[in-house]
Each structure stands twice: as C-alpha cells, then as structure tokens.
Amino acid sequence: MNHQHPDFCGIDIIPLPAFRDNYLWLLRRGTRAAVVDPGDAAVVERHLAAHGLALCAILITHHHADHIGGVAELVAERDIPVFGPAAEAIAGVNRPLSEGDTADLPELGIAFRTLEVPGHTRTHIAYLASGILFCGDTLFSAGCGRLLGGTAAQLHDSLRRLAELPDDTAVYCTHEYTLANLAFARAAEPSNAERDGWQVECARLRAAGRPTLPSRIGRERQINPFLRTTENGVIAAVAAHAGVRPAGSRECFAALRAWKDNF
Ligand SMILES: [Zn+2]
C-alpha cells in the first residue's frame, strides 16, 4: 500500500494502528519522522526501530489519553518539540499553539498552520499544510467527534470551517469509525448516492484490512450528515426523529449529534 501523498514530494504519511481503532499518523521523510497524537509509545517506537527512523517532533490535537498517552515515554530521552493547544495544560507540550500559529517541522520540510476547532473538547486544534489536515477527533469520515468539553454550536462552527477547505484536502482523522458512521449517515439522510458509493468502497477496504482514511473534504461535504445540516434530506430525517423541525443549521447539528449519541 502506498501512503505517499502526491502533494508532498518525499513525505510518506503512515497509519500506525493502536488500541481498538486509533491511527497514530506518522510522517516520514528519509530517516526523519514526526507523529501525530501518539497515544501509545510502544507502537511508535516499534515502527521507528523497524525502519531506522529518528523522531523529530510530536503534534498533539487535544488532551485525551488515547492521543497523548505515549508522549512522556517518547520524550524521556529525546529533546524534541511537542506541539499542542496552548489553551490546555498538557504534560510534555513545549510548543503551545493558538489559532494561526505555525508548527514548523524543518527536518521534514513541512510547516503546519494551527486551526482552533473546539467542540469535541473546548481546546481542540487541527494542523493544516498544503492539502493535508490532521483533525484529531473533530471530523471523521461520515461523522464527527462527540461533545466531550465543547458545545454543539462550537463543533458545528468548527466543522463548517473545515468544510470550507479545498475539496482535495486530505482528512487524516484519528479513528477508524467510518463504517459505523456510515450506518448512522444512512438513517440521517436516507437518499444519498455518493454516500452509498463510499460505503461500498469502505466495506471493500476494511475487508482487505486497509484504512478508509484519509478521506477528502470534498467527499465529506457530499456524504457526511454533520456537514449537511442545511440539506433537505438531513433536515427532514432530523425533524422526523426529533418530532420538531430544526430552526437552523446549528439546531439541526445539535439534534443530529444527540441522535447519534444514542444510535
Ligand atoms: Zn478525543
């Protein structure tokens, strides 16, 4: 399987499976590597050792244990930058980032721009560089993160922002939730041919043991009900489920999020 992203000459982005359904995304250029949300140090160390790589940086999107659990061990004998949200006290983070700040990874020849995307947590950030988005637990393929600190309005607005990125932006989220999300998406918008096509493709990928990620912003805008809260099909399904027609996009999103919580 080739994980090389065509926009990044010489950089591979590799999913390291961890826990039940996490991907720890590892960026690699030559013998240099960086890792996003290393919840498990052993998984990262094994890959570094097996491929003779030197870890140069860590990027953290938010403070949940499955995203930061490996940081202390990874930095114990390394003096490397650990980027993370400035608004949250996270042990090990030595490069706190706020909206618009740059996470510079000179060893890999990449610099990410910080987007504050609250909702899943109050202080969640995402990393964006020419066509590549690491969005943690904010946006998933066909779904979005739960509200574990932020508000529905915040997550709605954060997703709106991500949806405005160029269509071909590659979406690297942290969890392989796609098939389960697609089951809910079918309930939330019964008629959506693009979504049905993506479901067939994802079932094929999973049967072959392959990730459904990264997704693309353009695809998510077409298939992800949480980005489609102004579409008639979604509004009608939410109205039928909740017994009341949502007053607007934010209300539709909040009702959808609550519905999915108990789906
Ligand atoms: Zn989380």
Side-chain angles (χ1 to χ4, degrees):
M1 194 184 348
N2 182 9
H3 298 290
Q4 191 160 4
H5 191 279
D7 290 351
F8 272 4
C9 7
I11 290 192
D12 289 330
I13 303 179
I14 299 154
L16 307 182
F19 310 117
R20 192 183 151 88
D21 47 34
N22 288 59
Y23 295 126
L24 317 183
W25 293 106
L26 184 128
L27 289 73
R28 171 189 176 172
R29 183 188 196 99
T31 59
R32 305 303 188 96
V35 68
V36 183
D37 287 347
D40 185 337
V43 169
V44 179
E45 295 288 11
R46 261 201 308 276
H47 187 90
L48 296 172
H51 298 272
L53 303 176
L55 188 65
C56 299
I58 294 173
L59 305 174
I60 301 293
T61 64
H62 68 292
H63 68 281
H64 287 158
D66 62 319
H67 297 251
I68 65 166
V71 172
E73 222 174 307
L74 289 170
V75 301
E77 294 182 12
R78 292 183 178 97
D79 184 16
I80 58 174
V82 181
F83 299 94
E88 191 84 47
I90 300 175
V93 169
N94 53 26
R95 299 285 196 283
L97 301 171
S98 300
E99 175 69 33
D101 286 348
T102 300
D104 194 12
L105 280 58
E107 294 89 347
L108 284 95
I110 321 174
F112 289 96
R113 185 159 62 86
T114 306
L115 309 179
E116 291 183 350
V117 286
H120 173 63
T121 69
R122 193 181 51 80
T123 58
H124 200 299
I125 60 173
Y127 297 90
L128 179 68
S130 55
I132 297 207
L133 174 72
F134 291 105
C135 56
D137 289 352
T138 299
L139 172 64
F140 296 122
S141 184
C144 70
R146 285 173 181 264
L147 301 174
L148 299 174
T151 66
Q154 284 178 326
L155 187 53
H156 168 271
D157 293 357
S158 293
L159 292 175
R160 262 311 224 314
R161 240 189 121 185
L162 297 181
E164 283 165 12
L165 295 172
D167 279 4
D168 62 353
T169 304
V171 179
Y172 290 88
C173 24
T174 308
H175 291 276
E176 181 60 69
Y177 288 160
T178 311
L179 287 178
N181 286 340
L182 284 164
F184 175 73
R186 265 218 311 239
E189 189 181 19
S191 174
N192 182 326
E194 286 85 4
R195 194 262 331 284
D196 293 344
W198 180 228
Q199 186 154 20
V200 169
E201 170 71 2
C202 289
R204 194 185 59 78
L205 287 167
R206 296 309 293 149
R210 295 177 57 185
T212 61
L213 305 170
S215 187
R216 301 270 162 187
I217 287 292
R219 174 191 295 131
E220 293 307 314
R221 263 209 309 272
Q222 288 193 312
I223 63 115
N224 189 326
F226 293 95
L227 303 185
R228 297 172 62 76
T229 48
T230 57
E231 296 290 329
N232 288 333
V234 175
I235 294 168
V238 165
H241 176 77
V244 51
R245 193 176 166 83
S249 182
R250 278 179 164 180
E251 289 78 7
C252 185
F253 177 83
L256 208 51
R257 188 56 269 179
W259 181 8
K260 172 73 161 61
D261 285 344
N262 298 300
F263 186 72

